Amino acid sequence: MANHQEETRAAYDGVVELYASLFADRLETQPFARAMIGTFAELVRATGNPRAADVGCGPGHLTAMLHELGLDAFGLDLSPGMVDHARRAHPALRFQEARMESLPIEDGALGGVLAHYSMIHTPPEELPELLAEQVRVLAPGGLLLVSFFGTDGPEPIRFDHKVAPAYSWPADRLAELLANAGLVPFARLLHDPASERGFLDAHLLARRS
């Protein structure tokens, strides 16, 4: 796990300003993703526990969006460069460097976890460990929103992402992994891609049982 994470961290550290300029638009051009994040925030508020982690927060734009939607949101990212940018761009919010398989959060503390295309670089055999960690930090009834590149095939597909190698997933397979981790998937959205890669854009919403 360490090798690919070090490569991913170095790759994102090298594109901080470019990445932020491309994606820090708060999803103005992505209405489906924006709608799912809004639904996620509404459901987290309804749990009575508004504390939420944006894991793999990048430049912090979605952490800020969650804050504006009424959540006590903070951001975590593997890349120190991204964390530094997020802190400068959103000084009123909290950001910290962290690995997704070892979150600096106490058990059952959160009402929500957002993983917006932040698990895509994880090899399939390592994804169950990451999901187990997200479940650990969620309170019973807490919600996880995972966004990812979807594929119609039966197996995950490795592809050359512009920053670091990544994987697309069949939605059913990823939903099965969520269920195996102790979550109850209850909503999904798949839509045509917003890029030239050809994969579907996919979003799964699940609740801790």
Side-chain angles (χ1 to χ4, degrees):
M1 181 174 291
N3 287 339
H4 82 79
Q5 286 195 340
E6 293 302 324
E7 293 171 2
T8 300
R9 177 168 63 182
Y12 275 96
D13 274 346
V15 296
V16 171
E17 298 305 322
L18 174 61
Y19 188 94
S21 70
L22 292 174
F23 295 103
D25 60 358
R26 302 191 187 186
L27 306 186
E28 278 92 347
T29 62
Q30 300 179 39
F32 293 113
R34 189 169 65 244
M36 286 297 284
I37 291 173
T39 299
F40 165 79
E42 181 177 346
L43 293 174
V44 172
R45 292 197 308 270
T47 70
N49 178 1
R51 192 179 178 203
D54 177 10
V55 295
C57 65
H61 56 298
L62 295 185
T63 314
M65 183 177 179
L66 294 178
H67 175 74
E68 292 173 0
L69 290 170
L71 300 185
D72 178 15
F74 59 97
L76 304 169
D77 201 277
L78 177 68
S79 162
M82 288 291 183
V83 170
D84 180 65
H85 179 97
R87 287 171 174 166
R88 287 185 282 110
H90 309 285
L93 301 179
R94 294 164 290 143
F95 298 95
Q96 182 177 345
E97 185 180 345
R99 295 178 180 269
M100 293 180 70
E101 79 281 3
S102 182
L103 297 174
I105 303 168
E106 59 272 26
D107 293 354
L110 302 183
V113 171
L114 174 67
H116 189 77
Y117 295 92
S118 54
M119 296 184 182
I120 63 171
H121 302 295
T122 303
E125 66 274 13
E126 297 177 9
L127 195 57
E129 181 181 353
L130 260 66
L131 292 174
E133 182 69 350
Q134 318 313 303
V135 172
R136 180 189 68 79
V137 301
L138 280 173
L143 295 118
L144 171 66
L145 175 58
V146 180
S147 297
F148 58 100
F149 296 109
T151 181
D152 290 328
E155 301 292 335
I157 297 174
R158 187 181 187 274
F159 67 96
D160 291 327
H161 185 273
K162 291 181 179 178
V163 180
Y167 299 83
S168 65
W169 278 85
D172 287 341
R173 285 288 304 278
L174 192 52
E176 183 180 350
L177 289 183
L178 294 176
N180 290 341
L183 296 160
V184 180
F186 65 92
R188 68 176 65 181
L189 174 62
L190 289 86
H191 58 93
D192 288 342
S195 75
E196 69 279 4
R197 291 192 187 95
F199 298 119
L200 297 172
D201 285 326
H203 314 272
L204 283 175
L205 191 53
R207 181 179 287 109
R208 182 180 173 182
S209 56

